[in-house]
Amino acid sequence: MSIPIVDIKSENLSNLNNLFKENGFVRIDGVFDEGELDEMRNAMDKIVDEMNVDEHPKSVFSTYDENKHASDTYFLESADKIRFFYEEDAFDKDGKLKVDKHRALNKVGHALHWLNPTFKKYSFNENVKKIVKNLNMVKPEIVQSMYIFKQPSIGGAVTDHIDATFLQVDPIKNVVGVWIAVDDAEIENGCLWFIPGSHKNEAIDYRFVRTNPTNPNDPLLKFTGEKPVYDQTKFIPVPVPKGSLVLIDGMVVHKSEPNTSKKSRHAYTFHVVDAHNTKWSELNWLQPTSTYKFPILFDN
């Protein structure tokens, strides 16, 4: 199957929404230039340079160990902060980093789009607004953002999943991921893989939810329902040249393999929810606070 691709320089993006509805994802080329990508990379380098490892919990992001991830308060309270999450094997048995902190991180999130001026500029970029307008969203809000490192040789896999497991809204279809390739994303360094058309499912049972426990020793988050099993033969690889962007339907099944190469595969990604006539679940791990509301894409 061919990859659905649109070029941002095309005067007519009308086919974008049709491709997106048919496949559940679409690659849009030429959204950001080399200078803009360098600015994103340099901004993240500065964030990590200024981060003191000892001032943050050694929070490990893993899509395999769900209980370890779910018990992490640091993760739970990151909606309006910039926080740091490490690769699984980043620390030795004494809790010391095995490699430089720049090489140890899995991702940084979840309010880069609002708290960092560089990532705010590119999250609310005119090309991004142009693309989202073609999806006919009325009141799109950016609810979370992440810079994903996919470190050379050690960058872990992201197991097959749908974003609606983690970000629940009603109607269920009103979540879209925006995935920006800061480096070339290729098969050898862990590009995205999709099951085209898998977003056409109208229901979901498997959820990642808050537990609101009464016992302080109980987990703060858990997975509910039966974890689905997907046919691995239906996945297709979607290489993405740097500067291109992938739109991801919240219901489409996708994954990425480990980065076993010597090449980095940095990406900046965020999620947009159309708040128009949409209910945000109170059980979502991610929640606005008394001082922070999800910013509207078209208003900033």
Side-chain angles (χ1 to χ4, degrees), residues 52-287:
N52 184 337
V53 175
D54 295 330
E55 292 177 354
H56 295 266
K58 297 176 176 66
S59 182
V60 172
F61 181 80
S62 169
T63 59
Y64 292 108
D65 189 342
E66 295 176 345
N67 291 326
K68 180 165 60 178
H69 190 197
S71 64
D72 199 343
T73 304
Y74 184 71
F75 167 81
L76 182 68
E77 297 176 350
S78 62
D80 60 347
K81 300 174 181 67
I82 295 175
R83 290 193 158 169
F84 304 85
F85 303 88
Y86 293 91
E87 289 290 350
E88 287 189 80
D89 296 323
F91 297 94
D92 63 23
K93 60 182 176 60
D94 297 319
K96 301 295 184 183
L97 280 176
K98 294 179 182 178
V99 294
D100 179 81
K101 61 184 178 180
H102 285 269
R103 288 289 308 277
L105 288 164
N106 173 285
K107 68 175 184 176
V108 174
H110 289 93
L112 285 166
H113 62 281
W114 197 245
L115 298 181
N116 179 272
T118 298
F119 290 104
K120 184 175 184 179
K121 176 170 69 171
Y122 292 121
S123 302
F124 295 90
N125 172 273
E126 289 305 315
N127 277 342
V128 172
K129 292 179 182 180
K130 178 181 177 182
I131 290 165
V132 173
K133 283 177 181 175
N134 273 273
L135 300 182
N136 300 320
M137 284 191 166
V138 177
K139 190 181 178 183
E141 296 176 340
I142 299 181
V143 298
Q144 66 120 348
S145 53
M146 300 176 287
Y147 192 94
I148 302 171
F149 294 91
K150 202 77 165 179
Q151 305 284 5
S153 303
I154 64 168
V158 176
T159 55
D160 39 15
H161 68 283
I162 63 173
D163 292 343
T165 290
F166 303 92
L167 301 173
Q168 304 158 49
V169 297
D170 183 18
I172 198 170
K173 294 287 190 180
N174 286 4
V175 177
V176 175
V178 177
W179 194 96
I180 299 162
V182 179
D183 290 319
D184 289 329
E186 302 163 337
I187 292 177
E188 65 177 324
N189 67 345
C191 71
L192 298 170
W193 292 66
F194 288 90
I195 299 181
S198 55
H199 65 300
K200 295 177 183 178
N201 180 21
E202 294 294 332
I204 175 175
D205 175 58
Y206 192 56
R207 300 285 200 180
F208 184 59
V209 299
R210 288 175 175 253
T211 62
N212 300 312
T214 55
N215 186 331
N217 294 321
D218 289 342
L220 299 174
L221 295 154
K222 68 177 180 180
F223 286 85
T224 63
E226 184 176 351
K227 186 173 185 178
V229 176
Y230 301 109
D231 184 346
Q232 298 298 306
T233 66
K234 293 184 177 180
F235 280 97
I236 67 165
V238 181
V240 184
K242 60 184 177 181
S244 294
L245 176 157
V246 182
L247 286 179
I248 303 173
D249 187 287
M251 293 291 287
V252 75
V253 182
H254 58 290
K255 66 176 182 176
S256 66
E257 301 296 340
N259 182 4
T260 57
S261 78
K262 303 284 187 197
K263 300 168 64 177
S264 65
R265 198 228 65 181
H266 290 196
Y268 174 58
T269 181
F270 55 91
H271 284 89
V272 177
V273 169
D274 190 351
H276 178 68
N277 292 332
T278 301
K279 178 175 172 53
W280 180 260
S281 174
E282 295 178 355
L283 294 179
N284 281 336
W285 70 268
L286 182 76
Q287 295 293 335

